[in-house]
Amino acid sequence: MTETATHEKPRIRDAEATQRRILAAARKEFAKSGLGGARVDTIARRAKANKRMIYHYFKSKEQLFTRVLEDAYADIRTAEQKLHLDELDPETAITTLVRFTWRYYLANPEFLTLVNSENLHRARHLKGSARMHELSRPFLGMVEGILARGVAAGVFRPGIDPVQLNITIAAIGYYYLTNRFTGAIVYERDLMTKEALDTRLAFNIETILRLLRA
Amino acid sequence: MTETATHEKPRIRDAEATQRRILAAARKEFAKSGLGGARVDTIARRAKANKRMIYHYFKSKEQLFTRVLEDAYADIRTAEQKLHLDELDPETAITTLVRFTWRYYLANPEFLTLVNSENLHRARHLKGSARMHELSRPFLGMVEGILARGVAAGVFRPGIDPVQLNITIAAIGYYYLTNRFTGAIVYERDLMTKEALDTRLAFNIETILRLLRA
DNA sequence: CCGACTTAACTAACCGGTACGTGCATTGGC
DNA sequence: GCCAATGCACGTACCGGTTAGTTAAGTCGG
């Protein structure tokens, strides 16, 4: 009788929904203030949940942070899988990856600050996470595949390490966006206008293609 | 490189020395824990100073942070000036800059986390800092000069924006190093062995030269 | 179908520790 | 002697985490 309705009445008590709200609020708060600056009370308030619920479901602030991080990585890896890069010709595949990475970072700035925060803590929350390895392996394999196909087709030069390539693709987008505030001061320029963003994406694609071309 | 190294008789009360010790301790603590995670008591203890001194000389934790940041930028800009890149041929100058940037980041990892921390706070501590502009302008002008000389000599292609170039040079070193902890997990590889570091530097030089060459 | 019972979701109020910041007394250097 | 430099000890607010209790939702005997 409980599952029959297609649109059930909003339940007063809903464990899953509460956890989702807590995770969403935590992602925002951790992204905004870092692990040290984030306030558990703020997360509870924004999740419209009681602080006790956070400790009930996630044990501690740090375990909540770990979960938020893992979910963030799962999100981007899932989105990458959906690109089906292995079905594209090598040059298109790489261009697509650079463009996707850029747009994902732009649309999900929280991911960037979460990763920064975790690195400030020397990745101690993700260390030993089996889930992280499961997420990373297929991704790396895919880039390796694109590279191999490109070399075979004679469009890419041989000997390029897929790890270095990956790091570079991430770096040129990531750095621009995370450091946009000090960047605006150093370069005395608004780096976030539509024009500036389009220019940077084009520049990044050019950088990667020149790096790879035979 | 801010140590006094002079052999004056150790004064019991030395305002300048105390301030230097506080700044050095603050740089370490802010770099390690971020602005929110840093503890003023810890800074005082490590500076072998009383917490009261910190508030006497720097008014607040945030103003101390601002000062630490400005000093950090001053350090790297000063070091860059000493390269005298304008006296080198364009290609050597750029290679030297890439190598210097990489080595400076490696030798001064605190700079990286300080900048990250400031960007988490949307650069509100450096906003409006006259000192920052004074530091940045000559640096940008120098890179612009190298680029122009390279184009005139026919070794670099024309139309490259010095700001984009600069951001890219910083990015490919900075990202690798700040994200080395999550990177080690994602790529299942130690990114900090001597071999890995040398490989990365070579890769970065190659990336930039391919980007610039006519 | 119903009401007593059980379990899980949820809340309010609180605690011990800690963190930034200060008032005030003291002391060394010129 | 005067003032800057320093030290002590505290105030006040806050923060992560917990204790003790309440209420909604499922469950089962009758």
Side-chain angles (χ1 to χ4, degrees), chain A residues 112-126:
Chain A
L112 305 177
T113 42
L114 287 172
V115 172
N116 270 352
S117 214
E118 175 64 351
N119 276 290
L120 181 64
H121 297 281
R122 313 177 82 88
R124 73 161 191 265
H125 305 90
L126 290 181

Side-chain angles (χ1 to χ4, degrees), chain A residues 35-46:
Chain A
L35 175 59
R39 296 296 161 241
V40 178
D41 287 280
T42 304
I43 294 171
R45 184 162 31 83
R46 287 230 260 269

Side-chain angles (χ1 to χ4, degrees), chain B residues 4-212:
Chain B
T4 48
T6 53
H7 299 294
E8 318 155 28
K9 58 173 183 276
R11 295 164 42 145
I12 309 289
R13 300 199 166 194
D14 187 331
E16 264 185 59
T18 303
Q19 289 179 50
R20 268 198 305 274
R21 289 202 316 279
I22 290 172
L23 283 170
R27 193 183 60 230
K28 277 189 193 170
E29 173 72 359
F30 283 132
K32 188 182 162 199
S33 306
L35 175 59
R39 297 292 161 243
V40 178
D41 287 280
T42 305
I43 295 171
R45 184 161 32 83
R46 287 230 259 269
K48 291 185 206 305
N50 191 280
K51 189 166 50 161
R52 196 69 191 76
M53 292 290 88
I54 292 175
Y55 288 93
H56 180 63
Y57 291 123
F58 301 100
K59 310 297 181 200
S60 71
K61 187 185 183 183
E62 302 233 339
Q63 282 185 55
L64 175 60
F65 184 67
T66 303
R67 176 63 184 280
V68 165
L69 274 173
E70 285 188 346
D71 286 1
Y73 271 101
D75 272 0
I76 189 171
R77 295 305 179 222
T78 303
E80 275 163 355
Q81 292 296 335
K82 287 184 186 155
L83 296 175
H84 297 295
L85 297 182
D86 49 334
E87 296 168 10
L88 303 173
D89 73 276
E91 204 158 296
T92 310
I94 286 293
T95 307
T96 303
L97 179 58
V98 174
R99 191 178 286 118
F100 165 81
T101 304
W102 174 256
R103 289 189 181 150
Y104 186 89
Y105 289 168
L106 252 182
N108 303 275
E110 291 157 355
F111 178 76
L112 305 178
T113 41
L114 287 172
V115 171
N116 270 354
S117 215
E118 175 64 352
N119 276 291
L120 182 64
H121 294 94
R122 313 177 81 89
R124 72 161 192 265
H125 304 91
L126 290 181
K127 194 162 285 181
S129 160
R131 204 172 153 206
M132 282 295 290
H133 289 294
E134 287 163 25
L135 289 167
S136 307
R137 289 237 182 84
F139 173 64
L140 256 198
M142 196 191 54
V143 175
E144 201 169 0
I146 298 171
L147 225 38
R149 284 192 293 125
V151 172
V155 290
F156 294 162
R157 66 195 169 96
I160 296 200
D161 178 357
V163 168
Q164 299 294 351
L165 174 61
N166 245 312
I167 292 176
T168 304
I169 290 174
I172 57 183
Y174 189 107
Y175 176 90
Y176 183 98
L177 293 171
T178 56
N179 286 3
R180 63 193 186 274
F181 301 106
T182 54
I185 294 171
V186 169
Y187 301 114
E188 303 185 16
R189 183 193 286 193
D190 185 350
L191 299 175
M192 294 302 283
T193 64
K194 187 190 178 323
E195 213 183 339
L197 293 173
D198 290 346
T199 302
R200 181 64 189 178
L201 174 55
F203 191 90
N204 285 350
I205 292 173
E206 179 78 16
T207 300
I208 296 301
L209 287 182
R210 280 180 169 262
L211 174 61
L212 294 180

